[in-house]
Every structure is written in C-alpha cells, then in structure tokens.
Amino acid sequence: MKPQETIDFYLRWAWHSIARLYNDEAEKHGLTMSNGYVLLNIDIREGTPSTKLGPKMGMEPRSLTRTLKNMEDQGLIYRKTDKKDKRMVRIMLSDLGKKKREIAKKSVIAFNEYVQSKLNTEELDAFFRVMEKINHLLKQETHENFFKK
C-alpha cells in the first residue's frame, strides 16, 4: 500500500500544513501554535483548572506542563488557587494573554472562513461526517481491533 492510499497520510499531511501555517502566523506575534491553542482553551473569566486543560486539548501532561511553564515565564498566564477548593489550581489569562488570545482567535476564524469559502456545503458536510465517524471509531474500538490480521 502506498502512503497516498492511506487515510492517515492525508490527515497527517493536512495537519502538518495547518500547523506550519499557524506557527508562521503565531511567530509574528511572539507565540507558537501550542501557545495559541492553550490560550483559546482557557476560560477567559473563570480560568481553567490545570487538571482539565490537558484532556480538553488532548495534550499529554508532560508537554502541557512544559508549555504552561513557558507561557507563565512569558507573562501570558498565571496560576491562581481556587477560592472554593484550595487544592485546585486554575490557569488564568494575564492581560497580555487576553490580547494574544484575541490574535489567536482571529487567526483561527480567518483560516476557517478562508477554507469554508473554497469548499461547497456538500464538501464541508462530508468532511465533518467522515471526521466524526473516524473519531467515533477511535473512541469506540479497542486498539487491538485496528490491528487484527
């Protein structure tokens, strides 16, 4: 089987292209794509518990810890103990983080609007249906089912 005949080839190819595009744009604003993604997933008013952020974004705890540390050093976020549950730490956006979040948000919206303008409704609907089906299969099936011979 040639790489171009596999589903994951096109998923990886598209994702790498999107990541490059977002990283190029983020770099203009002193960010990375990962920074922007984190900023977009933090509740702007209440903050987000650090334990909820990783699963929300699909990031491994080790990678997220490193990313959050770097973002804290850059002044994009800060940590705040939860008022009700002193064991919980919330990740909060600093004023700079809120400004950079808006930049990230505008970039995501611009990319989506551009792609949507180039595809018709049927193509977009088919794309979303296929991606939902793939994600459903990945969640529903055990890993062993994918690799049965």
Side-chain angles (χ1 to χ4, degrees):
M1 181 178 273
K2 296 177 184 173
Q4 296 84 349
E5 295 171 343
T6 66
I7 294 165
D8 59 314
F9 172 83
Y10 289 97
L11 291 171
R12 197 170 40 255
W13 183 29
W15 180 245
H16 283 296
S17 297
I18 293 167
R20 250 189 327 275
L21 177 81
Y22 278 146
N23 270 318
D24 288 348
E25 185 62 22
E27 190 176 0
K28 296 175 188 173
H29 304 282
L31 295 171
T32 65
M33 183 187 75
S34 293
N35 295 151
Y37 195 49
V38 170
L39 292 172
L40 291 170
N41 280 282
I42 295 173
D43 184 288
I44 200 160
R45 288 177 199 73
E46 303 293 322
T48 301
S50 57
T51 55
K52 301 261 194 266
L53 199 52
K56 187 176 182 181
M57 297 173 39
M59 281 183 82
E60 293 296 322
R62 189 175 300 145
S63 297
L64 182 59
T65 300
R66 203 170 30 247
T67 300
L68 292 176
K69 173 73 173 105
N70 289 335
M71 292 176 72
E72 198 169 17
D73 292 346
Q74 294 172 319
L76 298 168
I77 61 166
Y78 62 95
R79 297 166 199 261
K80 181 177 176 184
T81 303
D82 189 82
K83 291 176 186 171
K84 295 177 186 169
D85 183 350
K86 301 293 183 201
R87 298 169 298 170
M88 186 187 312
V89 175
R90 291 187 172 275
I91 306 300
M92 308 294 294
L93 295 173
S94 66
D95 289 341
L96 177 61
K98 289 175 185 175
K99 289 176 186 169
K100 299 290 185 170
R101 183 184 193 277
E102 280 306 307
I103 292 167
K105 183 178 174 182
K106 287 178 183 176
S107 298
V108 169
I109 290 169
F111 170 75
N112 277 272
E113 286 176 349
Y114 178 81
V115 172
Q116 289 172 353
S117 76
K118 301 297 181 186
L119 301 173
N120 63 45
T121 304
E122 294 79 26
E123 290 169 321
L124 281 170
D125 289 345
F127 170 76
F128 289 130
R129 276 195 316 276
V130 169
M131 292 307 298
E132 283 177 17
K133 179 79 175 200
I134 290 171
N135 276 318
H136 178 74
L137 289 170
L138 290 166
K139 287 179 183 176
Q140 175 184 333
E141 300 290 335
T142 63
H143 290 199
E144 292 79 27
N145 288 347
F146 288 104
F147 304 111
K148 284 183 180 177
K149 292 188 178 191

